């Protein structure tokens, strides 16, 4: 067994400079049991906040209670774990929102996929 038999990159925000609230694309939690949402911060004038939102329809999102970090310091990381049972009834989509003036990247590491092996993003290269 390989780690990628159980882990995959479920979504991401490529590294970029932000100057305000920036949202990731959404991740379908119906395909996963959980994700570790990782925010990596480089240089920061205003260290960003980092939070997770959920949605029932992949259109209207609301903050997920208890799933936020007030400030991720420059040159550090913040991780928010989200399990499928953390979502309100009927919600299956999540996304992250980072808000500050900084260089950031966000990656969702999907865990315990419901399908084995998990589907990977088309942009992911895996070497066995």
């Amino acid at each position: 067994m390989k780690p990628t038999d159980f882990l995959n990159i479920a979504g991401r925000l490529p590294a970029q400079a932000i100057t305000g609230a920036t949202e990731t694309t959404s991740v379908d939690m119906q395909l996963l049991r959980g994700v570790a949402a990782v925010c990596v911060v480089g240089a920061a004038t205003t260290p960003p906040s980092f939070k997770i939102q959920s949605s029932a329809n992949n259109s209207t999102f609301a903050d997920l209670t208890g799933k936020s970090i007030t400030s991720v310091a420059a040159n550090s990381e913040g991780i928010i774990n989200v399990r499928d049972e953390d979502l309100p009834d009927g919600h299956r989509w999540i996304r992250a929102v980072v808000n500050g003036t900084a260089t950031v990247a966000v990656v969702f590491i999907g865990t315990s996929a419901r399908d084995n092996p998990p589907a990977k993003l088309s942009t992911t290269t895996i070497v066995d």
Side-chain angles (χ1 to χ4, degrees):
M1 294 247 148
K2 304 176 296 290
T4 52
D5 289 340
F6 303 98
L7 302 172
N8 72 331
I9 305 298
R12 65 183 171 80
L13 175 71
Q16 60 188 272
I18 63 167
T19 57
T22 303
E23 302 161 350
T24 66
T25 57
S26 59
V27 172
D28 187 352
M29 290 291 290
Q30 184 174 351
L31 305 175
L32 302 164
R33 298 227 188 270
V35 299
V38 182
C39 177
V40 180
V41 178
T45 303
T46 306
S49 60
F50 176 47
K51 66 182 177 180
I52 303 296
Q53 297 181 324
S54 68
S55 173
N57 60 10
N58 200 24
S59 178
T60 303
F61 285 82
D63 293 352
L64 195 53
T65 302
K67 301 297 179 180
S68 64
I69 298 173
T70 304
S71 179
V72 181
N75 302 310
S76 68
E77 305 81 80
I79 300 173
I80 301 174
N81 289 306
V82 182
R83 293 166 296 278
D84 54 357
E85 63 263 21
D86 295 333
L87 302 179
D89 288 342
H91 284 220
R92 67 180 262 195
W93 301 94
I94 63 167
R95 71 179 180 193
V97 179
V98 288
N99 190 4
T101 304
T103 301
V104 301
V106 176
V107 64
F108 291 95
I109 301 172
T111 61
S112 301
R114 296 175 191 275
D115 296 322
N116 191 13
K120 66 179 184 66
L121 290 177
S122 62
T123 56
T124 302
T125 301
I126 298 174
V127 176
D128 289 331

